[in-house]
Structures are given as structure tokens and as C-alpha cells.
Amino acid sequence: MADLTAPNAIDDILAEHAGLELQLSDPALHNSPGEARRVGKRFAELAPIMSTYAKLKSAREDLSAARELAADDSSFAAEVPGLEQQVEELEKALTDLLAPRDPHDADDVVLEVKSGEGGEESALFASDLARMYIRYAERHGWKVEVLGVTYSDLDGYKEATFSIRSKEAARDGVWSRLKFEGGVHRVQRVPVTESQGRIHTSAAGVLVYPEPDEVAEVEIDEKDLRIDVYRSSGKGGQGVNTTDSAVRITHLPTGLVVTCQNERSQLQNKIRAKQVLAARLQALAEEQADQDAAAGRASQIRTVDRSERIRTYNFPENRIADHRIGFKAHNLDSVLDGDLDALLDALGEADRAARLSAE
């Protein structure tokens, strides 16, 4: 593997960072909010690399000086091992930061949960999953926007769509953490509808796709859209609006369906739904254009069938198991309350290892 910490390997990053710094200092940039966000976002992405590189450069200089002093005075020799360890740790950290990464890692996401096999129990489990992601977002200070929900008879989620956004630009955004969640999630527990106390197995699906600040140009022909308006509904089918303000857009060529009922007016819901549709079409186009990306996202929902599970939530044993990496833990209760970091860290580490081994 190439030495990612070598000076020539980071030259491009240093030059890009300097260029971004100049752009941010130009008042004219801020006349275009979209471009200013893009530049600021990329500048924030590079910040950890620049900080780690500066520390590594300083540590290498200190180590070189300590070795020179130790050659003339043995009393300085004791400092060398500690500095060598510091340099080694910083080199590893910088290698990790410079490793090939997902270009969408800094993006926000649109996340959908859908009930599948299991009827009412599946819809209740889908609502549990949605609550888990909302709690996780709250722990990280992210903003969650409910775009649309279709309730079951017992107030579970037949389907629900959320926008999850970070409040500030960062190298590792919402997508970097939640991109592993797409797929079929299986639950084993005694349903509330079960009178004999028997454990049932059902499944719900999760679909996650990046929602950049500005969706790339996606050609959407109005003739390809079927737009339906309806009255927003709350739990138990109760209307929450007195007008038909909710919007459902069907993209006829692909069959993609997007709903939005969170905004105050039909026009606002239509605009938001089109933004989400554009993001979904962009993600679809990228998958079709890049076979590696398509293979990497193969775990996303095809059919919400228990046999295609990526993860199992076993309530009797308080156990969660991710079948892609062999992760197991017996803290299901806290995971469902949003404590996902250990699991997502393990998935992220496996992803980084795969990217490094591909170099």
C-alpha cells in the first residue's frame, strides 16, 4: 500500500485547503449562499486532515531533534521512544483520514421505513425503528423533519419518510453514519396482538439515500410525474389538516413514490417532495452508473422478506445482531433508545478496512 502520509501524497490536499481558505475570505462568495455552503462544507471536511498533518509534522521535527540531541547527550535518549510512538499514532490517524472514502459522507440523508411481512406487528416494529433513528439523531444534535407517515390501525408505520440533517458542516455527516442502515431488519418478540405469548418473527425495511445541500441536475420531465393531493392524516386516520395539502408524487418511468405532508401548504409540500424525488433519482442514477456502488448497496431493500435480513432484534434475549459483520450485543433496549454508536462504529471500521484493502 502506498504511504498516504508521505509529503507528496498530501500536497493536493494542502493546495485545495489553501484555495478554499482564499475563497472563504472573498466577500463575493457569500453573495451565492449555495456556493458558500459548498465551499464551507468542503473546508470543514478538510479540517481534521489539516490538524492531524500539522501535529504529525511537528512530532516528526521533535523526533528528529531528539535523535540529534541523543547522539551527543544520552540523557535525551529517553524522549525518543515516546516521540516515536506519537509519530506512529499520528501517521496511522492521517492514513485513516486520507483513505478512500464515500464521496457522500458529508451529506444529509432521507430515510424511509416500511412495514413488510408480519402485518400489524411489522408496522409497529417499523415505528420502533423510526423512533430509534430519531433518538439517535437527537443524541447527535441533528435535525429530523417528518416528510410523510402512513399509519396502521394500531398506530404503527406502514411507511414513513424522514429528512435527517446535520446542523453544521462536517467531514463526517449524517450519511457517513446512517448509510449502513439500508436493508431488511428482522424482529423476534411476542407481539401485542399475540394472546398465547408466542414469539413471532417479522420484518421491516429501511432505505437510506444521501440528500446533498444541492441536488445535482436531474432531468425530471413533468409529463413523467403523477401528482396526487390528499388530506394529511394523523394517528388512527384522524385528519390533521382541513385542506388537501399533502402531496404524493409518482415518477412513472421508475415507479418511485414520494410523499410529503409536513409543510403548511400544498405548494410547499409539492416543492419539498420534488426535492426528495430529485435526490432519490440522483442516488438511483449513481448506482446504475457505478456497479461498485450498486454492489455496495445490495443490502438495501429489494423485497421486505425475512430471508434478506441485515440485522436481527431479539427481544427475549435483549440481543441485537448485525449479520454482515458478525456484531452481537445484549443491549437491545438501549440500542432502540438511540444508542447505536458501538454498532455503527463497528460497521464503519469494517467499511474503512475494506476500502484500505482495495488500495
Side-chain angles (χ1 to χ4, degrees), residues 67-215:
R67 283 172 172 167
E68 287 183 13
L69 290 169
D72 296 327
D73 186 344
S74 59
S75 64
F76 288 99
E79 297 181 19
V80 173
L83 288 169
E84 287 177 336
Q85 182 178 352
Q86 185 180 358
V87 167
E88 184 178 343
E89 291 172 353
L90 287 168
E91 285 178 345
K92 182 180 183 302
L94 187 59
T95 296
D96 288 343
L97 289 169
L98 292 175
R101 55 189 279 110
D102 188 324
H104 288 296
D105 273 352
D107 289 343
D108 300 317
V109 307
V110 173
L111 184 146
E112 300 178 18
V113 293
K114 298 175 182 290
S115 62
E117 287 189 359
E120 196 66 56
E121 164 63 3
S122 175
L124 290 170
F125 178 51
S127 67
D128 290 338
L129 289 175
R131 176 181 175 274
M132 176 181 76
Y133 294 124
I134 290 170
R135 288 292 181 90
Y136 182 74
E138 290 171 347
R139 287 170 180 248
H140 287 264
W142 297 338
K143 178 183 177 183
V144 178
E145 179 186 3
V146 181
L147 300 181
V149 177
T150 302
Y151 292 95
S152 68
D153 292 339
L154 295 181
D155 293 338
Y157 287 172
K158 291 182 179 178
E159 58 181 0
T161 306
F162 306 89
S163 170
I164 305 178
R165 296 179 170 181
S166 176
K167 292 181 180 178
E168 58 184 30
R171 170 183 166 84
D172 294 316
V174 183
W175 173 257
S176 73
R177 298 299 282 170
L178 296 185
K179 63 184 175 182
F180 307 110
E181 294 305 289
V184 177
H185 297 239
R186 184 178 72 165
V187 62
Q188 295 171 323
R189 66 183 176 187
V190 179
V192 294
T193 54
E194 169 58 55
S195 59
Q196 302 299 318
R198 293 172 298 185
I199 296 172
H200 288 225
T201 299
S202 62
V206 176
L207 179 65
V208 189
Y209 46 93
E211 185 185 23
D213 284 338
E214 293 184 2
V215 179

